[in-house]
Amino acid sequence: MASEKEPTTIKKYANRRLYHTGTSTYVTLEDLGHMVRAGEDFVVTDAKTGEDITRSVLTQIIFEQENKEGTQNMLPVAFLRQLIRLYGDSMQALVPPYLEYSMETLVREQQKLREQMTQTFGPKTFQALDDQVRINMSLFADAMRMFSPFPGVRAEAMKRHTERAEAQEAAAPTAESADEIRRLKAQMAEMEAKISALAKKD
């Protein structure tokens, strides 16, 4: 039987540069993030000591993703607090296998749902539904930001909402898109009225 492919070795130097030994090129944390999403296995070692530092580098990738502008956060504050509390606790040893099992279950169920949706509605329809879910989540997030007590956050959310409505109007002047544009404009007008009321209270 053919042996499984060995993971790629990434060397991290003292100047924090990451060297991909497979391609003989320097890479970034973002590049490593793409490799993870593509299912490419790798280990990161300290170029000087040979120590395996994969865990700390993966943690850095998560940190960058959580702080990337325009990206939905996946680690709720409550979860992070609970995780910190478990360090040094008698239950700490149970946390890694529990989290690993939970993530494997989530990925497995997510893939099963995608396959069922694709078989039922077809790949194009499922992609459209997937895209619509992302759009709805973005709209919801902006709507929540509009009720923020911070004027800057409200202004930024309103700006994105306006840009989205204008893009919809310019993209496809069909009857369906026209209805969507009218709906977005109505939402925007309603939210502007609520924001004005909040501003007066401030």
Side-chain angles (χ1 to χ4, degrees):
M1 292 179 61
S3 59
E4 291 185 4
K5 183 181 177 182
E6 290 293 321
T8 302
T9 298
I10 308 294
K11 292 184 178 181
K12 186 176 183 180
Y13 289 89
N15 59 4
R16 297 187 178 182
R17 297 193 74 183
L18 298 161
Y19 184 76
H20 190 305
T21 60
T23 59
S24 299
T25 57
Y26 286 100
V27 293
T28 64
L29 287 176
E30 187 171 355
D31 293 327
L32 296 185
H34 288 307
M35 290 172 65
V36 171
R37 286 188 283 275
E40 185 175 347
D41 195 14
F42 61 82
V43 293
V44 186
T45 61
D46 186 292
K48 185 177 181 180
T49 65
E51 179 188 0
D52 187 336
I53 55 173
T54 307
R55 185 189 305 275
S56 64
V57 171
L58 291 175
T59 305
Q60 281 182 279
I61 293 172
I62 293 172
F63 178 79
E64 285 208 349
Q65 288 297 315
E66 285 291 303
N67 287 278
K68 185 180 290 186
E69 188 176 351
T71 302
Q72 183 183 354
N73 301 115
M74 287 204 299
L75 300 178
V77 172
F79 169 79
L80 293 172
R81 292 185 192 280
Q82 290 286 359
L83 196 60
I84 291 170
R85 291 190 187 106
L86 286 168
Y87 279 100
D89 189 273
S90 58
M91 299 292 288
Q92 180 175 339
L94 298 177
V95 175
Y98 173 77
L99 291 178
E100 188 173 0
Y101 173 78
S102 298
M103 287 303 298
E104 286 177 353
T105 302
L106 174 63
V107 171
R108 186 169 57 249
E109 292 303 316
Q110 180 190 46
Q111 184 59 33
K112 188 186 300 182
L113 177 61
R114 287 179 182 274
E115 290 172 356
Q116 290 173 349
M117 292 287 285
T118 301
Q119 289 172 4
T120 304
F121 301 105
K124 290 184 178 179
T125 305
F126 174 71
Q127 183 61 47
L129 288 171
D130 210 19
D131 292 341
Q132 190 59 50
V133 168
R134 283 195 290 269
I135 292 170
N136 290 344
M137 288 300 295
S138 178
L139 285 169
F140 177 75
D142 282 347
M144 293 304 293
R145 290 188 185 99
M146 287 178 185
F147 294 97
S148 167
F150 304 104
V153 175
R154 293 202 301 264
E156 181 63 28
M158 180 56 69
K159 179 184 176 184
R160 282 199 296 271
H161 199 80
T162 303
E163 289 173 350
R164 188 180 292 113
E166 290 174 349
Q168 285 272 0
E169 189 170 8
T174 62
E176 185 178 348
S177 64
D179 289 340
E180 180 66 14
I181 291 165
R182 283 193 291 272
R183 186 178 66 80
L184 285 171
K185 286 183 175 180
Q187 285 181 347
M188 188 168 61
E190 182 182 350
M191 288 178 182
E192 282 177 345
K194 291 180 179 178
I195 290 168
S196 295
L198 283 172
K200 289 177 182 178
K201 289 181 181 180
D202 292 342

